[in-house]
């Protein structure tokens, strides 16, 4: 969803806590499941996916992404603010962010009410650059946290009453087909890292145990995997369906870490869209060139249309 979802530079690649459940559901054995059971599994996986995307920390409610400049950054609906958010429920000036070389401080404007965990806030350190941890602040239906992307520090802004939450209930997907659930093995790499670039053009080195090797349509393919430190490997991949039937830059997957014999399973039926497919306010990683497959992977999620 997600050390990426989306935290790309100087942080582990997890998409998102929003997609942790996908990694849990991704765990599988090498035995092929019964068709009826497998269809039910994919249906349940898809339902959980929709629920997570629409949750308070999901991607559907994103309403803004504001990059801070050093010093004061006034935040409100008035055009004169450094950070302007146009909304009928938003005041001309809600407050300001103060970016220093060590932290981000929030100050609430006089007469406004901003809360942290139910407590009214007038001034607090919302983010420390060395810890990368941000508290969440609230104003009416709006929520925001601070994120860091390389040398950029920004505000991830949400609206828990976002119009898309009432209209988004489905992701078009290819029919579940167990032929896209294939056995694979890990080919260890002498170089334990892989370069990943995000949509901002920033590149970082991410931990990688090697390449996942598998066969499709009688040919052998390899995909660089990213190790996030849990029970699964994260894979970013592209294929010939991109931009026509699926998201232009590619899709993501979680697969179980290999067993003692180096064996695992890749299930392309659980390939999912990056956060950028649901919002222009996400900063997604892009599959590396070596992970673009020269074939059509007609499995998993297809393009998303929120409007």
């Amino acid at each position: 969803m997600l050390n990426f979802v989306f935290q790309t530079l100087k942080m582990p690649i997890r998409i998102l806590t929003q997609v942790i459940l996908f990694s849990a559901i991704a765990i599988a054995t090498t035995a092929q499941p019964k068709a009826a059971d497998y269809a039910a599994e994919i249906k349940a996986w898809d339902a959980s996916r929709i629920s997570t995307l629409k949750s308070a920390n999901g991607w559907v409610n994103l309403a803004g992404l504001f990059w801070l400049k050093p010093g004061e950054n006034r935040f409100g609906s008035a055009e004169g603010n450094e950070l302007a958010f146009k909304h009928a429920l938003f005041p001309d000036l809600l407050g300001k962010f103060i970016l220093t070389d060590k932290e981000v401080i929030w100050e609430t404007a006089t007469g406004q009410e901003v809360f942290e965990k139910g407590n009214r806030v007038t001034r607090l350190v919302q983010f420390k650059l060395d810890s990368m941890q941000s508290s969440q602040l609230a104003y009416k239906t709006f929520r925001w946290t601070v994120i860091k992307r390389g040398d950029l520090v920004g505000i991830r802004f949400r609206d828990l009453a976002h119009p898309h939450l009432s209209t988004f209930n489905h992701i078009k997907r290819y029919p579940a087909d167990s032929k896209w659930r294939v056995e694979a093995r890990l080919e260890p790499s002498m170089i334990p890292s892989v370069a990943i670039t995000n949509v901002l053009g920033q590149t970082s080195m991410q931990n990688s145990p090697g390449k996942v090797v598998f066969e499709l349509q009688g040919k052998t393919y390899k995909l660089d995997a990213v190790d996030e430190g849990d029970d699964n490997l994260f894979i970013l991949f592209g294929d010939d369906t991109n931009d026509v039937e699926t998201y232009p830059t590619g899709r993501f997957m979680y697969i179980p870490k290999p067993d003692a014999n180096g064996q695992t399973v890749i299930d392309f039926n659980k390939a999912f869209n990056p956060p950028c497919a649901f919002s222009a306010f996400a900063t997604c990683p892009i599959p590396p060139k070596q992970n673009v497959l020269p074939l059509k992977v007609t499995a998993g999620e297809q393009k998303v249309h929120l409007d």
Side-chain angles (χ1 to χ4, degrees), residues 74-244:
R74 293 170 298 172
F75 187 36
S77 61
E79 293 183 2
N81 294 313
E82 286 78 15
L83 310 179
F85 177 67
K86 298 291 186 180
H87 194 285
L89 297 179
F90 222 65
D92 288 345
L93 179 63
L94 181 62
K96 62 184 176 182
F97 299 95
I98 303 171
L99 173 61
T100 74
D101 59 350
K102 296 181 179 180
E103 59 196 13
V104 176
I105 301 167
W106 166 260
E107 288 188 359
T108 304
T110 302
Q112 304 300 333
E113 294 186 344
V114 171
F115 297 88
E116 181 197 26
K117 297 179 179 179
N119 298 314
R120 189 171 177 178
V121 170
T122 55
R123 177 185 170 97
L124 89 165
V125 175
Q126 188 176 4
F127 184 79
K128 289 184 176 293
L129 274 64
D130 57 354
S131 69
M132 307 295 283
Q133 297 295 316
S134 174
S135 57
Q136 184 182 79
L137 298 184
Y139 171 75
K140 295 186 177 180
T141 64
F142 306 103
R143 306 289 184 272
W144 62 91
T145 53
V146 182
I147 63 173
K148 190 173 187 296
R149 297 293 182 266
D151 58 352
L152 297 176
V153 179
I155 306 304
R156 170 161 286 159
F157 193 68
R158 303 176 183 275
D159 181 3
L160 301 190
H162 198 296
H164 285 163
L165 293 170
S166 61
T167 60
F168 173 69
N169 296 294
H170 173 71
I171 300 176
K172 185 179 180 182
R173 61 163 39 254
Y174 295 101
D177 189 336
S178 60
K179 76 177 183 181
W180 291 106
R181 182 182 182 278
V182 297
E183 295 184 14
R185 61 180 174 83
L186 180 67
E187 182 179 275
S189 173
M190 296 295 292
I191 304 175
S193 62
V194 59
I196 301 294
T197 301
N198 65 18
V199 295
L200 301 176
Q202 301 169 320
T203 300
S204 63
M205 301 305 295
Q206 302 294 334
N207 294 332
S208 174
K211 297 180 181 291
V212 178
V213 184
F214 58 97
E215 289 190 3
L216 275 176
Q217 302 172 3
K219 295 184 178 181
T220 300
Y221 299 97
K222 299 180 180 181
L223 292 170
D224 280 321
V226 172
D227 189 348
E228 298 184 344
D230 53 19
D231 295 330
N232 298 281
L233 297 178
F234 179 57
I235 295 177
L236 308 90
F237 78 99
D239 68 276
D240 287 346
T241 67
N242 296 161
D243 203 32
V244 179

Side-chain angles (χ1 to χ4, degrees), residues 3 21-22 26 35 38 122 128 132 150 174 191 196 210 246 298 301:
N3 286 336
L21 65 92
F22 307 148
Y38 185 63
T122 55
K128 289 184 176 293
M132 307 295 283
Y174 295 101
I191 304 175
I196 301 294
T246 59
T298 54
E301 292 182 353

